[in-house]
């Protein structure tokens, strides 16, 4: 545990965690992908005091059936949100099953520069075989093979972020030098399916290394800063936390809250008439704001943070902003991110030393 404060993240993809959430949204379906909508929801989360927002993604449309679906790429949305926010961390979900790790690392490093050091990365997988066709790649159908691609991809991205030392950029007008080439490094990575030489095409991120989040059963704990732990009850979450082996652990919690217009159970039942709420094995709270506050207090004994998945963003985010986060703040269970602070600093994570610079220092000391 990093300290007394519980870090709160919120997933902001689409209209909410329920596939039919659009039916209760405060906007028409054609407004979902507009810049105004994306910026407004992010602003609500930042003003509420969330530590981090995450943006789900995948190459295939989210869901199926009669519900309208669609999304803009998470990295693109994250970059847009980064320019319109100032304190909240921003972590797009980027699968590595088929994506090129070199390009992913460049996009995420750029995001960290745009946000002034507030970027994170949620590592995920493309499980549906149709995704391979969209990428024009052979299917990676085996769970072990998907885990391998995630493991290798994170290793490549982290190495590339270090391939520029912090002082590699010179920008000397007097000598007409932009770079110190001795501070750029090849990573020479070879996996079972590809090889990457490097160096990166983007300078080292402001944080040195972005905050990497993911499920500890899919990405080695040594490659993660934050493990995302699921579990249908407190005991399962506590067990997953104990086994995570990462610097920080966030619990995954789906929430449906009572609103002035309807009770939580009534709202869920209304959506269930159209589409079932997919069971992802996560802890789920359906009820009052006070009940969620009590649950988060219990979770704070086991985890460093919680990622909330609201049933319907337009309804639940308002309750979270008005009733939940202010009460948690008063009780000093959560702390609002400070302006000018990196995501790593907010989470209590040190800025890592550059591996190549550290190796050079060790070599000189011999």
């Amino acid at each position: 545990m990093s300290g007394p404060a519980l870090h709160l993240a919120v997933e902001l993809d689409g209209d909410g965690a329920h596939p039919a959430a659009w039916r209760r949204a405060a906007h028409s379906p054609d407004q979902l992908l507009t810049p105004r909508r994306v910026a407004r929801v992010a602003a609500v989360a930042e003003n509420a005091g969330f530590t981090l927002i995450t943006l789900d993604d995948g190459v295939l449309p989210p869901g199926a059936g009669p519900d309208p679906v669609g999304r803009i790429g998470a990295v693109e949305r994250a970059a847009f949100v980064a320019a319109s926010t100032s304190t909240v961390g921003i972590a797009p979900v980027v699968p590595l099953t088929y994506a090129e790790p070199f390009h992913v690392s460049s996009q995420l490093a750029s995001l960290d520069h745009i946000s002034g050091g507030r970027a994170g990365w949620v590592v995920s997988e493309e499980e549906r075989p149709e995704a391979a066709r969209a990428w024009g790649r052979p299917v990676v159908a085996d769970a072990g093979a998907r885990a391998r691609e995630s493991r290798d991809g994170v290793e490549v991205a982290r190495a590339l972020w270090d391939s520029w030392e912090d002082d590699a950029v010179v920008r000397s007008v007097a000598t007409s030098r932009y770079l110190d080439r001795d501070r750029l490094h090849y990573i020479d990575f070879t996996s079972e399916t590809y090889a990457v030489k490097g160096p990166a095409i983007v300078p080292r991120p402001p944080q040195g290394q972005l905050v990497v989040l993911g499920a500890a059963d899919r990405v080695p704990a040594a490659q993660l800063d934050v493990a995302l732990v699921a579990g249908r009850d407190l005991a399962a979450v506590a067990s997953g936390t104990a086994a995570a082996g990462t610097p920080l652990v966030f619990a995954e919690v789906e929430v449906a809250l009572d609103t002035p217009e309807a009770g939580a159970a009534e709202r869920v039942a209304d959506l269930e008439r159209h589409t079932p709420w997919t069971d992802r094995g996560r802890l789920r709270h359906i009820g009052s704001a006070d009940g969620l506050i009590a649950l988060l207090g219990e979770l704070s004994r086991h985890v460093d943070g919680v990622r909330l998945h609201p049933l319907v963003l337009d309804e639940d985010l308002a309750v979270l902003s008005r009733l939940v986060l202010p009460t948690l703040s008063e009780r000093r269970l959560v702390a609002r991110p400070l302006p000018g602070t990196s995501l790593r600093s907010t989470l209590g994570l040190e800025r890592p030393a550059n591996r190549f610079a550290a190796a050079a220092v060790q070599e000189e000391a011999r």
Side-chain angles (χ1 to χ4, degrees):
M1 299 286 288
S2 62
L6 187 71
H7 302 291
L8 290 185
V10 60
E11 170 57 48
L12 297 184
D13 184 58
D15 279 315
H18 197 286
W22 66 275
R23 296 179 181 273
R24 298 187 64 91
H27 62 86
S28 59
D30 65 337
Q31 297 299 304
L32 175 62
L33 303 182
T34 61
R36 180 178 298 179
R37 160 74 182 176
V38 174
R40 184 183 71 80
V41 175
V44 171
E46 179 172 62
N47 293 336
F50 280 98
T51 298
L52 177 68
I53 61 175
T54 64
L55 300 163
D56 201 2
D57 201 3
V59 70
L60 299 175
D67 301 303
V69 294
R71 58 161 62 111
I72 297 171
V75 175
E76 290 78 7
R77 280 180 288 157
F80 177 77
V81 167
S84 61
T85 56
S86 59
T87 60
V88 70
I90 307 160
V93 175
V94 184
L96 286 167
T97 310
Y98 302 106
E100 294 280 358
F102 186 92
H103 299 316
V104 170
S105 72
S106 299
Q107 291 175 319
L108 293 171
S110 298
L111 176 61
D112 204 42
H113 284 284
I114 293 168
S115 65
R118 292 181 288 124
W121 171 23
V122 182
V123 182
S124 68
E125 297 177 357
E126 296 275 15
E127 297 184 359
R128 295 164 59 187
E130 298 90 337
R133 189 178 306 116
W135 280 98
R137 300 287 181 83
V139 175
V140 182
D142 178 72
R146 291 196 301 271
R148 178 200 65 213
E149 295 301 312
S150 294
R151 177 199 69 216
D152 291 347
V154 173
E155 185 173 345
V156 167
R158 286 195 177 278
L160 286 168
W161 293 335
D162 275 351
S163 65
W164 290 51
E165 295 185 34
D166 290 317
D167 54 356
V169 179
V170 178
R171 294 193 180 97
S172 173
V173 176
T175 62
S176 299
R177 293 177 67 215
Y178 178 74
L179 294 174
D180 182 345
R181 62 188 300 173
D182 292 334
R183 286 174 166 76
L184 268 64
H185 304 276
Y186 296 117
I187 68 168
D188 292 322
F189 177 88
T190 302
S191 74
E192 295 181 36
T193 54
Y194 59 83
V196 178
K197 190 172 185 64
I201 57 174
V202 179
R204 195 175 193 226
Q207 296 182 97
Q209 296 275 321
L210 275 71
V211 176
V212 180
L213 307 89
D217 59 344
R218 298 188 179 186
V219 183
Q223 294 182 332
L224 295 175
D225 297 296
V226 181
L228 299 174
V229 174
R232 293 184 175 87
D233 53 38
L234 282 170
V237 170
S239 176
T241 300
T246 51
L248 300 176
V249 177
F250 280 25
E252 300 271 39
V253 180
E254 297 173 339
V255 295
L257 298 171
D258 296 336
T259 69
E261 291 76 26
E266 179 183 349
R267 294 172 54 231
V268 172
D270 177 53
L271 295 178
E272 293 287 279
R273 293 186 298 110
H274 305 283
T275 309
W277 191 359
T278 307
D279 183 357
R280 301 183 184 278
R282 297 168 178 159
L283 188 61
R284 186 175 288 181
H285 172 78
I286 301 174
S288 67
D290 287 342
L292 177 59
I293 292 168
L295 174 61
L296 293 175
E298 289 290 327
L299 283 169
S300 69
R301 301 176 184 178
H302 305 285
V303 299
D304 304 282
V306 174
R307 181 165 70 146
L308 299 176
H309 300 261
L311 180 81
V312 180
L313 286 175
D314 287 343
E315 295 179 325
D316 294 285
L317 196 54
V319 179
L320 290 167
S321 301
R322 189 176 66 252
L323 299 178
V324 176
L325 271 80
T327 300
L328 292 172
S329 181
E330 289 174 5
R331 298 180 184 180
R332 298 187 177 180
L333 276 176
V334 299
R336 181 182 291 269
L338 300 175
T341 304
S342 72
L343 179 57
R344 295 192 73 89
S345 295
T346 297
L347 295 175
L349 298 168
E350 293 184 359
R351 186 180 189 275
N354 183 289
R355 70 186 69 185
F356 295 102
V361 170
Q362 292 176 359
E363 184 65 25
E364 290 176 1
R366 291 177 181 175

